[in-house]
């Protein structure tokens, strides 16, 4: 059995990739290829040796030859996938054949990919780098998740009367991680109250916007992006276009934020958090149904999320970011107006425009 504590194993220096092949020449070739990519690799000649090495250090990837004396690659993969500490580490099988049955068996056992013999540098580089990046990103997210939950649990026990302050602190950390201005959260808070108050005087919204709604959205709106605490810093601050995997991770902040707030609501019962949950989950939905995470459209989107969608965009446009200059309020309104009726609720946007001079900006 694989023993010990995962954190200690991960902190020890050791190979990023463990290669298991009974032919030493194959180990040498693969080690050279992997090290040319900037990663460390180690080779062993049997499944038993691999399990012994894993007791000392957890790698980020396994390369397993299918056919070996004694324990086969399939048998070793099955053991690894049944162990808590190694089941999430990707396995790439090495095979000299393209036998369909082998591939079906490999994927059934939890394998992530196959590399053919003889080895081609381009194929090895592409497949290994893809699975290493994916694993590293996943572990980074898990680390931030555990760190966040630990902080929240400790603070909730010690500061029962300061739950709001804890949440706002997390929100501020998130904004700082994305290199946003420290004033962003206060802007969203003030503007959410102003816009909600203005909606209260509209015949269309007066029945939906009570004084309690206004009080709640003032508290809840600054927590809209709390889920970004789970997004790697390099994605939040990237200046160029995001890759598809990075974009999908960024989009996950809506669901993650809602889940974080749902857990806190179960512990605290603060009513404003129920609104914060809706805002966190749905503030990237679009009026035309092309938003995320659920593709809601028009009035299917909660009113509070439609409000924050507009205010968040406005603050982003009027504030300077690592990837853009700050636009003037007039320029920002002009940019946003093109999306009224597609991205934004056109009625709310119309009221937003009328009170624009009363709003605080990101500049």
């Amino acid at each position: 059995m694989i023993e010990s504590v995962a954190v200690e194993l991960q902190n020890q220096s050791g190979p990023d990739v463990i290669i298991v092949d009974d032919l030493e020449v194959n180990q040498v070739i693969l080690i050279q290829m992997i090290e040319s990519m900037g990663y460390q690799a180690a080779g062993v000649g049997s499944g038993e040796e691999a399990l012994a090495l894993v007791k000392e250090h957890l790698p980020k990837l396994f390369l397993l030859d299918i056919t070996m004396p004694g324990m086969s690659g399939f048998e070793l993969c099955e053991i690894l996938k049944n162990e808590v500490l190694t089941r999430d580490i990707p396995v790439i099988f090495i095979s000299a054949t393209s036998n369909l049955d082998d591939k079906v068996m490999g994927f059934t056992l939890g394998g992530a990919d196959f590399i053919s013999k003889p080895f081609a540098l381009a194929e090895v580089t592409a497949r290994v780098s893809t699975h290493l990046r994916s694993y590293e990103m996943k572990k980074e997210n898990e680390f931030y998740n555990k760190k966040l939950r630990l902080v929240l649990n400790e603070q909730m026990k010690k500061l029962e009367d300061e739950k709001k302050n804890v949440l706002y602190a997390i929100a501020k950390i998130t904004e700082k991680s994305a290199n946003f201005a420290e004033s962003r959260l206060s802007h969203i808070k003030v503007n959410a109250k102003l816009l909600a108050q203005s909606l209260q005087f509209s015949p269309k919204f007066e029945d939906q916007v009570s004084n309690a709604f206004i009080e709640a959205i003032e508290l809840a709106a600054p927590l809209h992006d709390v889920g970004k605490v789970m997004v790697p810093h390099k994605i939040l601050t990237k200046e160029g276009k995001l890759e598809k995997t990075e974009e999908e991770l960024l989009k996950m902040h809506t669901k993650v934020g809602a889940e974080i707030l749902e857990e806190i609501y179960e512990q605290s019962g603060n009513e404003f958090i129920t609104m914060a949950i809706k805002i966190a989950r749905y503030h990237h939905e679009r009026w035309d149904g092309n938003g995320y995470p659920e593709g809601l459209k028009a009035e299917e989107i909660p009113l509070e999320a439609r409000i924050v969608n507009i205010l968040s965009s406005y603050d982003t446009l009027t504030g300077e970011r690592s990837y853009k200059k700050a636009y003037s309020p007039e320029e920002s309104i002009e940019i946003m107006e093109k999306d009224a009726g597609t991205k934004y609720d056109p009625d709310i946007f119309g009221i937003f425009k009328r009170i624009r001079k009363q709003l605080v900006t990101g500049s």
Side-chain angles (χ1 to χ4, degrees):
M1 296 289 288
I2 298 171
E3 305 167 353
S4 102
V5 180
V7 173
E8 293 179 0
L9 290 175
Q10 291 288 8
N11 286 338
Q12 295 175 9
S13 61
D16 300 300
V17 181
I18 292 179
I19 301 159
V20 188
D21 194 311
D22 59 305
L23 295 179
E24 187 174 352
V25 64
N26 288 338
Q27 296 177 31
V28 172
I29 292 171
L30 287 170
I31 287 172
Q32 290 177 342
M33 289 181 173
I34 291 167
E35 290 185 347
S36 72
M37 298 163 55
Y39 292 98
Q40 296 298 312
V44 294
S46 69
E48 290 79 6
E49 290 178 86
L51 292 175
L53 181 55
V54 167
K55 289 180 181 181
E56 301 173 6
H57 178 79
L58 289 178
K60 301 173 182 176
L61 179 69
F62 290 102
L63 296 182
L64 308 183
D65 187 21
I66 293 177
T67 306
M68 295 182 289
M71 185 186 301
S72 71
F74 288 150
E75 291 172 324
L76 176 56
C77 179
E78 190 169 15
I79 292 172
L80 294 173
K81 293 302 177 183
N82 284 327
E83 291 288 348
V84 173
L85 297 184
T86 55
R87 65 189 178 193
D88 292 329
I89 300 174
V91 170
I92 298 179
F93 288 106
I94 304 168
S95 177
T97 70
S98 56
N99 187 298
L100 180 60
D101 290 340
D102 283 349
K103 290 189 175 182
V104 171
M105 175 62 75
F107 288 127
T108 300
L109 291 172
D113 212 338
F114 281 79
I115 290 177
S116 302
K117 297 179 184 178
F119 304 121
L121 178 59
E123 180 187 17
V124 172
T125 299
R127 297 186 188 279
V128 168
S129 62
T130 294
H131 292 290
L132 280 173
R133 284 199 303 267
S134 176
Y135 180 75
E136 288 169 344
M137 198 167 287
K138 180 179 179 182
K139 297 309 289 185
E140 188 175 0
N141 280 344
E142 288 177 356
F143 170 77
Y144 282 120
N145 188 24
K146 290 176 182 177
K147 185 177 180 181
L148 172 65
R149 293 181 192 282
L150 178 62
V151 170
L152 288 177
N153 287 338
E154 290 175 351
Q155 294 299 320
M156 288 303 176
K157 291 176 183 177
K158 296 177 182 178
L159 306 171
E160 185 65 25
D161 295 332
E162 298 185 18
K163 293 184 178 69
K164 296 185 185 72
N165 292 338
V166 173
L167 286 171
Y168 292 150
I170 296 169
K172 288 179 181 178
I173 290 171
T174 303
E175 299 300 303
K176 184 174 291 187
S177 178
N179 289 342
F180 287 168
E182 293 185 7
S183 57
R184 175 176 166 83
L185 295 183
S186 63
H187 292 168
I188 297 291
K189 179 179 181 180
V190 171
N191 290 343
K193 180 179 180 180
L194 286 171
L195 184 51
Q197 287 174 328
S198 300
L199 294 180
Q200 199 174 30
F201 295 100
S202 165
K204 181 166 184 176
F205 300 106
E206 61 181 351
D207 292 337
Q208 302 175 61
V209 182
S210 62
N211 290 335
F213 180 97
I214 294 170
E215 292 175 7
I217 198 168
E218 182 182 13
L219 295 172
L223 302 176
H224 66 292
D225 272 342
V226 70
K228 284 185 178 176
V229 74
M230 298 292 298
V231 180
H233 177 74
K234 59 186 177 183
I235 293 179
L236 293 176
T237 56
K238 186 172 182 179
E239 295 187 11
K241 183 178 180 181
L242 296 180
E243 296 178 9
K244 186 175 181 180
T245 54
E246 293 172 329
E247 187 176 345
E248 291 304 313
L249 274 174
L250 179 60
K251 287 183 177 181
M252 286 296 295
H253 82 274
T254 55
K255 293 182 179 179
V256 172
E259 289 169 2
I260 291 171
L261 293 168
E262 284 170 348
E263 288 189 13
I264 294 172
Y265 178 74
E266 289 177 3
Q267 299 173 25
S268 68
N270 285 332
E271 288 302 319
F272 85 93
I273 297 182
T274 60
M275 179 180 286
I277 292 168
K278 293 180 184 179
I279 292 173
R281 189 183 300 277
Y282 299 121
H283 70 282
H284 280 290
E285 298 287 1
R286 292 171 54 106
W287 185 256
D288 61 8
N290 291 319
Y292 62 89
E294 297 179 16
L296 302 183
K297 65 184 299 185
E299 294 182 0
E300 293 174 350
I301 307 167
L303 176 60
E304 48 267 56
R306 283 179 269 157
I307 292 171
V308 173
N309 183 14
I310 292 173
L311 297 176
S312 177
S313 294
Y314 182 64
D315 193 80
T316 297
L317 287 168
T318 57
E320 186 174 347
R321 303 291 184 260
S322 61
Y323 54 87
K324 61 169 282 294
K325 68 173 185 177
Y327 292 100
S328 69
E330 292 74 22
E331 290 173 325
S332 301
I333 294 291
E334 186 176 345
I335 292 170
M336 294 176 66
E337 195 155 21
K338 298 173 184 177
D339 289 323
T342 54
K343 182 177 180 180
Y344 310 118
D345 180 327
D347 294 305
I348 298 178
F349 187 79
I351 296 171
F352 161 78
K353 281 203 309 179
R354 290 199 293 271
I355 67 165
R356 195 273 304 161
K357 292 183 178 180
Q358 301 174 47
L359 301 175
V360 292
T361 67
S363 57

